[in-house]
């Protein structure tokens, strides 16, 4: 295995974790046969083809707990790279230490809000009874304690096993095959992390570029248009988290981040709105950045 890959894999197992935020919220809907039959009758349709969902709880009922869930996941996603399709995210240990308290706070608020929801459960049932009328089904509303148990907020952490130090019993051939498979997978993840960061940079730059170009075109035509601060804050936030998500410490990606910062950090939104010269300068610099990042291919980690 090439030496740079060995070093990268060592850093991966020593300096990184897998973290996932897994959240459950009380079931919001149930299927109503009566509603399905009514819909079939009105539309002259076969009731067997219809499944009509009824809301036990409104979106506003569950909005507070969902917000804590979404904010926690957004916090984690901003400073991590995807690891698999099961919600695990690759994060540096130092980064996790920096956000751990904030994740814990989201979890604590989630459970406080769950308790508030459960304490007013009977009121939620009564509102459903009044608003659903004949479609209300009391059997679909379990006891409060069962509802409470449907809410959960888990922050799962897992270490990344160093393939050279796995301890399992088996034949030498079996152990070696498993070790090789782990190494191959981890090498893919290292390369994926670089590509994901490149894609994130390109996506955010293109969004900013398109928004500024649209503003410029509208202004030049004498038309009003909306221009959101997120055009600038979004790309600046990405640069701020670059050290966290640049898992492999790729110097070229670090320099791209520095170049983006030179263009967008301290850029005054009002001045950008009013100055066509400034917009043209920013668009030209952004176009050069997009072209440079699109043509950049990081050195891939390889195993032999």
């Amino acid at each position: 295995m090439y030496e740079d890959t060995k070093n990268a894999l060592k850093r991966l197992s020593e300096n990184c974790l897998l973290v996932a935020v897994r959240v459950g919220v009380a079931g919001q809907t149930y299927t109503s046969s009566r509603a399905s039959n009514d819909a079939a009758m009105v539309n002259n349709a076969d009731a067997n083809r219809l499944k009509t969902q009824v809301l036990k709880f409104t979106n506003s009922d569950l909005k507070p707990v969902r917000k804590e869930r979404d904010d926690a996941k957004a916090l984690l996603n901003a400073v991590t790279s995807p690891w698999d399709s099961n919600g695990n995210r690759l994060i540096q240990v130092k980064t996790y230490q920096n956000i751990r308290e904030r994740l814990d706070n989201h979890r604590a608020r989630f459970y406080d809000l769950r308790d508030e929801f459960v304490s007013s459960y009977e009121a939620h049932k009564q509102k459903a009874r009044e608003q659903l009328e004949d479609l209300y089904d009391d059997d679909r509303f379990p006891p409060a304690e069962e509802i409470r148990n449907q809410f959960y907020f888990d922050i799962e952490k897992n270490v990344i096993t160093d393939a050279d130090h796995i301890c399992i019993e088996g034949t030498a051939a079996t152990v070696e095959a498993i070790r090789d498979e782990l190494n191959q997978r981890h090498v893919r993840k290292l390369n994926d992390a670089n590509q994901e960061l490149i894609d994130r940079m390109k996506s955010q730059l293109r969004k900013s570029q398109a928004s500024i170009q649209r503003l410029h075109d509208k202004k030049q035509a004498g038309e009003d248009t909306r221009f959101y601060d997120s055009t600038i804050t979004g790309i600046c936030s990405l640069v701020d988290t670059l050290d966290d998500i640049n898992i492999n410490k790729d110097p070229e990606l670090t320099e791209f981040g520095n170049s983006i910062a030179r263009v967008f950090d301290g850029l005054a939104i009002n001045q950008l709105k009013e100055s066509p010269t400034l917009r043209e300068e920013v668009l030209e610099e952004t176009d050069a950045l997009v072209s440079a990042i699109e043509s950049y291919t990081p050195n891939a980690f390889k195993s032999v």
Side-chain angles (χ1 to χ4, degrees):
M1 189 179 294
Y2 296 115
E3 193 62 32
D4 59 344
T5 303
K6 283 186 176 181
N7 292 334
L9 290 174
K10 188 172 185 292
R11 289 196 305 271
L12 183 69
S13 62
E14 292 179 353
N15 300 338
C16 296
L17 287 170
L18 298 181
V19 177
V21 171
R22 307 196 191 282
V23 180
V25 176
Q28 187 180 11
T29 66
Y30 62 86
T31 300
S32 169
S33 296
R34 180 165 187 163
S36 298
N37 290 332
D38 289 347
M41 186 179 299
V42 169
N43 293 282
N44 195 29
D46 185 341
N48 292 321
R49 293 283 186 171
L50 301 178
K51 281 190 177 180
T52 304
Q53 297 292 309
V54 173
L55 291 179
K56 291 194 293 185
F57 312 116
T58 65
N59 289 331
S60 61
D61 292 335
L62 297 171
K63 183 177 180 179
V65 288
R66 286 174 172 168
K67 184 177 186 305
E68 292 303 328
R69 173 199 65 190
D70 295 345
D71 288 351
K73 289 191 174 187
L75 169 62
L76 181 64
N77 290 351
V79 294
T80 59
S81 297
W83 180 262
D84 57 28
S85 59
N86 296 320
N88 289 302
R89 308 282 302 185
L90 178 63
I91 186 170
Q92 296 184 69
V93 175
K94 68 179 183 65
T95 301
Y96 175 68
Q97 291 172 164
N98 290 336
I99 69 169
R100 177 181 176 182
E101 183 176 354
R102 293 165 66 187
L103 286 175
D104 288 344
N105 288 340
H106 282 301
R107 178 170 56 186
R109 286 193 295 269
F110 175 90
Y111 282 121
D112 286 343
L113 291 166
R114 175 206 61 181
D115 291 345
E116 290 180 16
F117 180 88
V118 174
S119 68
S120 59
Y121 180 50
E122 291 302 321
H124 289 301
K125 286 178 62 176
Q126 181 58 31
K127 182 171 71 172
R129 186 180 291 110
E130 294 171 355
Q131 294 178 342
L132 292 174
E133 295 188 339
D134 292 342
L135 296 180
Y136 176 81
D137 184 351
D138 195 62
D139 291 340
R140 301 289 188 164
F141 290 80
E145 190 59 30
E146 187 175 330
I147 286 291
R148 177 188 298 275
N149 293 335
Q150 291 178 12
F151 290 86
Y152 62 86
F153 190 121
D154 296 332
I155 304 171
E156 296 181 1
K157 284 84 65 178
N158 287 290
V159 298
I160 301 171
T161 303
D162 184 339
D164 290 334
H165 295 92
I166 58 174
C167 297
I168 58 174
E169 293 185 0
T171 65
T174 298
V175 173
E176 185 60 30
I178 293 173
R179 180 179 291 117
D180 183 63
E181 183 178 333
L182 278 176
N183 271 327
Q184 294 288 346
R185 183 188 188 203
H186 291 172
V187 167
R188 288 198 306 271
K189 296 303 180 180
L190 288 171
N191 290 325
D192 288 347
N194 267 359
Q195 190 58 52
E196 199 271 340
L197 176 52
I198 292 170
D199 292 343
R200 200 182 294 194
M201 282 181 167
K202 288 192 293 188
S203 175
Q204 193 62 59
L205 276 171
R206 285 170 179 155
K207 287 180 182 177
S208 297
Q209 183 182 41
S211 184
I212 296 170
Q213 186 66 62
R214 183 166 54 252
L215 170 68
H216 186 66
D217 292 343
K218 290 288 187 180
K219 286 285 189 179
Q220 292 298 93
E223 302 175 12
D224 290 330
T225 186
R226 292 182 178 181
F227 186 73
Y228 299 99
D229 289 357
S230 59
T231 298
I232 307 302
T233 58
I235 190 66
C236 289
S237 295
L238 176 58
V239 171
D240 289 342
T241 61
L242 186 61
D243 186 55
D244 297 308
I245 51 183
N246 188 6
I247 299 290
N248 298 310
K249 305 304 178 190
D250 185 314
E252 293 292 334
L253 295 181
T254 298
E255 182 52 39
F256 278 133
N258 292 337
S259 298
I260 293 171
R262 284 192 288 270
V263 175
F264 288 95
D265 273 0
L267 194 60
I269 300 293
N270 289 336
Q271 189 176 1
L272 192 63
K273 289 179 179 179
E274 299 303 324
S275 172
T277 301
L278 179 60
R279 291 194 298 272
E280 289 172 354
E281 290 175 355
V282 172
L283 284 170
E284 183 178 351
E285 291 174 316
T286 303
D287 188 60
L289 282 169
V290 171
S291 297
I293 293 176
E294 285 182 337
S295 62
Y296 174 63
T297 302
N299 292 326
F301 294 103
K302 299 177 182 179
S303 57
V304 294

